[in-house]
Structure formats: structure tokens, C-alpha cells
Amino acid sequence: MGFTEKQEALVKESWELMKQNIPELSLRFFTLILEIAPAAKKMFSFLKESDQIPQNNPKLKAHAVKVFKMTCESGIQLREKGEVVVADTTFKYLGSVHLHKGVIDPHFEVVKEALLRTVEEAVGEKWSEEMCGAWCEAYDQLANAIKAEMKEETAHELSSRSNPS
């Protein structure tokens, strides 16, 4: 079926509302991730040093912005191109980082749940089943693209080990 014009509009509309409040939303997003999966804290270098989520951590804010923005852009690309398109180097980097941090499928689900809850809280009464579906589709496509790159990286590493130069 693809990403519809309506889904794209819903993701864009909610992103426009959220952009104005990224510092607060990034804290909320990471708070939710750690509420859902406390062990995830060790996966984020910028959260390791503290027992709490730091209020003014620029790395935390930057990471949250990347997740929100890439998910939003994924939705727009799905509509325009029929697939998620990010620079090859970006996907290779994302695949490599996620692989080496030990990210597995359930971790993507934790982030998805935290993302959806953050968006829902941010947009308030504008939240609907349709908006939820739009963000789910955009996130799932982005996550699948990262997972595909992780598999490619794993295959490359295995190949390198079995065929040393």
C-alpha cells in the first residue's frame, strides 16, 4: 500500500508541533526508554556517568533530535520515493553503531514505544489512530533499513574473519 499522502501530512504536522519543544521532548523520550527498559542506559555513552537523565545534556538532545527527525524524514521519503533513502555512509554508520552496541530487535520496539508515547504526549488532542499508524510506518521502515545494514555489516565481518587478507 505504501505511505499515503495523509500519513505524510500527519507526520509532518506533528513534527512541526514537536520541533518547538525538542529539549523537553528529548528528555521525555529518553525517560520513557529507560522506564520501559532500564538496562538500555548502558547503551548510551552520554547516560552512563549518571544515575539520572541529565537535564542539560547536549548529546542526549542531539540524539533525540536525530531519532525524531530521521523518523519524520523516513515518512516523507516513503511517500516521495517509496523507500527510506539516507546517504549510504549514514546507513553504514548507523548499522555499524547499532551492531556494535548490541542492539537487537526488542530494542527497536522499546524505542518505537517511547517514540510513539512521546509524540502522543507532544501533540495532545491531535493524536489519533491514523497519526499513530503514520509514525509506526515511518519508524518501522527506518528500523528495517538500519536492521538490513546491521545484517550486511555482520556478513561483512564474518566474511573478513574467514578470508583474512
Side-chain angles (χ1 to χ4, degrees), residues 8 70 72-86:
E8 179 188 25
M70 284 185 78
C72 180
E73 289 172 353
S74 294
I76 293 164
Q77 291 167 3
L78 282 172
R79 176 87 180 110
E80 291 175 359
K81 300 179 174 89
E83 63 180 340
V84 175
V85 180
V86 179

Side-chain angles (χ1 to χ4, degrees), residues 124-154:
E125 291 180 10
K126 290 187 181 290
W127 184 254
S128 66
E129 285 299 315
E130 278 185 301
M131 186 177 283
C132 179
W135 276 95
C136 283
E137 183 64 25
Y139 178 81
D140 288 346
Q141 291 295 330
L142 176 61
N144 288 339
I146 293 170
K147 289 178 199 178
E149 194 57 49
M150 289 169 67
K151 284 181 184 150
E152 200 170 296
E153 173 92 5
T154 300

Side-chain angles (χ1 to χ4, degrees), residues 15 61-71 93-94 142:
W15 173 239
K61 290 175 188 170
H63 191 76
V65 168
K66 280 185 209 168
V67 173
F68 290 134
K69 193 172 180 192
M70 284 185 78
T71 303
Y93 173 75
L94 288 171
L142 176 61

Side-chain angles (χ1 to χ4, degrees), residues 49-120:
E49 299 87 41
S50 166
D51 287 339
Q52 299 173 15
I53 297 176
Q55 296 292 322
N56 295 311
N57 186 319
K59 289 181 180 176
L60 178 143
K61 290 175 188 170
H63 191 76
V65 168
K66 280 185 209 168
V67 173
F68 290 134
K69 193 172 180 192
M70 284 185 78
T71 303
C72 180
E73 289 172 353
S74 294
I76 293 164
Q77 291 167 3
L78 282 172
R79 176 87 180 110
E80 291 175 359
K81 300 179 174 89
E83 63 180 340
V84 175
V85 180
V86 179
D88 280 349
T89 54
T90 302
F91 266 136
K92 286 192 186 326
Y93 173 75
L94 288 171
S96 178
V97 166
H98 284 80
L99 182 68
H100 292 104
K101 291 280 185 183
V103 174
I104 55 175
D105 283 353
H107 297 137
F108 283 98
E109 291 305 311
V110 167
V111 172
K112 180 180 178 179
E113 183 181 337
L115 175 79
L116 294 174
R117 286 170 56 185
T118 303
V119 174
E120 180 179 6

